[in-house]
Amino acid sequence: MLKAFLSFSIICCSYVAQAQNYVQINSGDSEGDIIRKAASVRPTARQLNWQKLEVTGFLHFGINTFTGKEWGDGKESPSLFNPTKLDTDQWVQVAQKAGINLLILTAKHHDGFCLWPTNTTDYSVKNAPYLNGQGDVLKSLAQSCKKYGMKIGVYLSPWDRNAKSYGSDAYNEMFRNQLTEVLSNYGKIDEVWFDGANGEGPNGKKQEYNWSSYYDVIRKLQPEAVIAVMGPDVRWVGTETGYGRDTEWSVVPANNLDQNSIADGSQQQMNIQPKGDMSLKDVGGRANILKAKGLVWYPAETDVSIRPGWFYHAQEDAKVKSPEKLLDIYFHSVGKNGVLLLNIPPTTEGLIHAVDAENLSSWKGLRDKIFNNNLLLGQEVKLVKNGVRKKLKEGGEQIWTSKSDDKELIFEYKAKSPLRFNVLQLGEFIQWGQRVEKFEVQIRNNNAWQTIKEGTTVGYKRIVVLPETSSTHIRIKIAQSRLAPFVDKVGLYYYDDIVKLDGKAHK
Ligand code: FUL
């Protein structure tokens, strides 16, 4: 008993000591060492806060809205930019009604047209008819977000098809100045989104981006903002369908981990974009981490547009994703250890289209209908194997964990009358890392336990569709975990229209 207690305390203390979002792998490390190291990697505060947002929104808006294109070439006249009813309060209200917690505006897309009155180029709202050149879309959005308590992020495309300096070092300076403007003048910014597209500029030249100098500007001006996609904090899931991986680890290989990649001072986080093959089917799985040079907390963001295109095109008004499709996307993004980034492009008038607004609101209605009714609440619960139920001093809800470093855990719910369910939710208390490798759902049938579903990773949140089941006895089994699991957000639900979820990642 004392031995178990001691080993539990030692493990707890070592977690505290290793509160870093990366770890080096040494050449002599055994498989066991590497797995333990992987389980000890933890999110930074900004990564954790971002993960908890769950559902975020993208606003693709700009010169393309008025040309019908997806990628402008930087030659379109600013005179085209003239939204007549632009209402950022409406954008925020629509988003808030849909349970969206942060909105990212394309302050500059690849065409180079700036939605704020920048001093770095004439190619901006300053020279547009919109509000006689006095408009500032970013300012207007920032004010609406503040008014309604919505977080805000900026998309600033490094690829700029208008800037004359593109392809020279002067462009790096211009881009840092643009970042400085958007990160200094609009209050708190919670996410900076850098796209991977890098084509030619107006002179036919390509740019060598000075990424670390961009990150320095962001860390200095907005230290709480995550830097996404071409950045150190948030990884692109790898598709634009809204569907993540069945096995999704937030801890992945970082093969460029060295002293230069670690942030100065704190030594707690990696500060350049982790390099490794992030397009693999199981990026953070054993096979991949065992050959890695280092590991980093680099969680997935799952982006998709509510329409076929990223920008608004009137001819797509009949192709807005339905509430059921959006629900399926929610299950496969947030429900697969990702943060959903759902694009809702404003129209030429400068409003979210009524169809989009309607579908978003019905989508939230569906999520509430399902997830506001956790059938396990109030049911009798029993520890079957290794279980300990506790409230951590770090806060949050009660969690399930196992005694000492036992990696298998089983707990059981006994209902007064049969529960009918077809959806399971599980989560991990990721402040302490991501650990679960295999889970099962079991029910008791004729006095024998029968597995009705098996899964792999859990992460921050895992939602799975189960075969429709009716039972009084339900077990959750964590069959394999990298270290003692910390399970939370346990729920069983029933959705009467489950057949409408096809689980297919087509657009
Ligand atoms: C892509 C861009 O090229 C698209 O236009 C869009 O902005 C999407 C979110 O990222 O790479």
Side-chain angles (χ1 to χ4, degrees):
M1 179 64 193
L2 179 68
K3 195 167 157 256
F5 173 77
L6 281 177
S7 72
F8 187 60
S9 329
I10 289 163
I11 291 164
C12 289
C13 296
S14 63
Y15 299 147
V16 174
Q18 295 174 12
Q20 293 181 169
N21 90 335
Y22 67 90
V23 69
Q24 298 268 6
I25 293 180
N26 304 320
S27 51
D29 283 350
S30 66
E31 173 165 356
D33 295 334
I34 296 175
I35 296 303
R36 238 184 332 276
K37 282 186 171 183
S40 70
V41 173
R42 297 174 175 191
T44 59
R46 64 169 88 82
Q47 287 175 318
L48 182 63
N49 291 337
W50 168 84
Q51 189 87 46
K52 287 180 180 169
L53 297 174
E54 298 194 8
V55 180
T56 61
F58 231 166
L59 296 159
H60 275 69
F61 187 58
I63 211 88
N64 295 335
T65 312
F66 299 87
T67 59
K69 291 188 198 165
E70 278 290 309
W71 281 8
D73 59 14
K75 297 193 182 99
E76 294 84 5
S77 167
S79 66
L80 294 168
F81 188 81
N82 196 16
T84 45
K85 295 186 184 157
L86 188 133
D87 181 357
T88 51
D89 276 4
Q90 188 250 6
W91 303 0
V92 176
Q93 284 170 312
V94 165
Q96 206 153 45
K97 238 179 121 186
I100 288 173
N101 296 312
L102 171 145
L103 282 173
I104 301 178
L105 175 69
T106 53
K108 180 182 86 163
H109 204 253
H110 311 327
D111 48 70
F113 183 76
C114 298
L115 295 186
W116 80 100
T118 176
N119 289 324
T120 61
T121 172
D122 290 336
Y123 200 46
S124 83
V125 280
K126 259 191 199 170
N127 289 305
Y130 167 60
L131 297 182
N132 296 320
Q134 302 299 305
D136 183 340
V137 184
L138 183 56
K139 183 171 176 192
S140 174
L141 179 63
Q143 284 170 345
S144 300
C145 285
K146 193 158 182 218
K147 183 163 152 195
Y148 294 101
M150 173 73 73
K151 291 187 185 297
I152 185 170
V154 286
Y155 171 117
L156 210 62
S157 170
W159 183 26
D160 189 320
R161 304 179 84 182
N162 178 273
K164 290 188 187 57
S165 61
Y166 196 85
S168 72
D169 205 40
Y171 178 76
N172 280 323
E173 181 66 18
M174 173 176 167
F175 193 70
R176 281 190 296 270
N177 290 337
Q178 294 187 332
L179 274 172
T180 303
E181 290 178 357
V182 300
L183 301 178
S184 305
N185 302 330
Y186 301 95
K188 187 155 185 277
I189 303 285
D190 283 286
E191 182 160 352
V192 178
W193 212 93
F194 288 145
D195 190 67
N198 173 12
E200 293 171 355
N203 306 322
K205 289 193 208 149
K206 281 209 171 192
Q207 178 71 33
E208 273 195 40
Y209 301 128
N210 189 341
W211 292 111
S212 54
S213 74
Y214 307 163
Y215 304 157
D216 287 347
V217 174
I218 301 167
R219 294 296 196 229
K220 186 168 147 235
L221 298 174
Q222 297 285 348
E224 289 179 33
V226 286
I227 311 174
V229 184
M230 297 304 286
D233 303 318
V234 169
R235 167 171 55 98
W236 181 47
V237 78
T239 72
E240 291 180 340
T241 61
Y243 288 71
R245 294 173 178 79
D246 282 338
T247 301
E248 188 63 83
W249 288 100
S250 294
V251 177
V252 298
N255 293 326
N256 53 341
L257 241 184
D258 58 35
Q259 275 321 301
N260 299 328
S261 52
I262 307 304
D264 289 342
S266 75
Q267 300 290 309
Q268 299 294 296
Q269 56 189 272
M270 193 165 171
N271 209 26
I272 61 170
Q273 188 183 5
K275 288 273 176 308
D277 191 349
M278 305 292 172
S279 65
L280 297 171
K281 192 158 174 248
D282 184 6
V283 192
R286 286 190 182 225
N288 294 322
I289 64 171
L290 290 181
K291 35 181 212 234
K293 298 199 175 96
L295 301 170
V296 64
W297 189 273
Y298 197 34
E301 179 175 70
T302 312
D303 63 339
V304 64
S305 183
I306 194 167
R307 290 162 169 259
W310 289 103
F311 286 87
Y312 175 81
H313 310 294
Q315 70 273 24
E316 293 179 352
D317 284 354
K319 294 186 177 161
V320 179
K321 290 185 174 63
S322 67
E324 289 79 15
K325 186 71 199 161
L326 294 173
L327 183 66
D328 202 40
I329 285 174
Y330 175 81
F331 274 41
H332 290 269
S333 53
V334 176
K336 284 185 171 171
N337 189 29
V339 167
L340 173 60
L341 176 56
L342 176 64
N343 181 58
I344 334 158
T347 63
T348 45
E349 287 186 319
L351 295 169
I352 306 292
H353 192 280
V355 174
D356 305 44
E358 179 65 36
N359 289 8
L360 285 165
S361 154
S362 306
W363 171 51
K364 176 69 162 66
L366 291 178
R367 277 149 55 208
D368 287 349
K369 190 171 129 195
I370 301 168
F371 294 103
N372 286 351
N373 188 16
N374 185 352
L375 302 166
L376 295 178
L377 286 183
Q379 306 295 357
E380 190 188 324
V381 59
K382 184 167 111 193
L383 304 163
V384 179
K385 190 166 178 203
N386 292 333
V388 181
R389 198 170 194 207
K390 51 157 66 190
K391 195 147 175 82
L392 295 179
K393 65 176 181 335
E394 287 89 341
E397 58 178 297
Q398 292 230 323
I399 54 129
W400 292 97
T401 185
S402 58
K403 291 181 192 139
S404 71
D405 62 351
D406 282 322
K407 292 162 198 156
E408 195 185 74
L409 162 70
I410 303 176
F411 49 97
E412 180 179 328
Y413 291 88
K414 219 169 100 192
K416 289 167 216 81
S417 54
L419 302 176
R420 187 169 61 144
F421 54 89
N422 53 13
V423 174
L424 166 79
Q425 177 182 281
L426 290 176
E428 283 183 78
F429 187 77
I430 59 163
Q431 281 91 326
W432 284 25
Q434 186 181 352
R435 292 149 180 233
V436 176
E437 289 183 311
K438 273 187 200 156
F439 66 90
E440 286 176 29
V441 187
Q442 302 177 331
I443 54 162
R444 203 169 69 186
N445 209 351
N446 296 330
N447 279 332
W449 287 96
Q450 176 198 348
T451 298
I452 57 164
K453 189 83 187 176
E454 288 178 339
T456 55
T457 45
V458 172
Y460 177 74
K461 199 174 248 192
R462 184 72 202 253
I463 301 169
V464 286
V465 173
L466 304 173
E468 182 164 330
T469 305
S470 196
S471 182
T472 45
H473 290 70
I474 301 121
R475 278 185 178 179
I476 306 292
K477 174 172 171 182
I478 303 301
Q480 196 178 318
S481 187
R482 289 178 173 180
L483 267 181
F486 288 86
V487 177
D488 61 9
K489 309 179 200 80
V490 184
L492 276 184
Y493 310 91
Y494 183 71
Y495 176 43
D496 50 6
D497 254 342
I498 205 100
V499 287
K500 291 198 180 145
L501 306 184
D502 65 5
K504 291 201 187 104
H506 46 72
K507 275 208 165 188

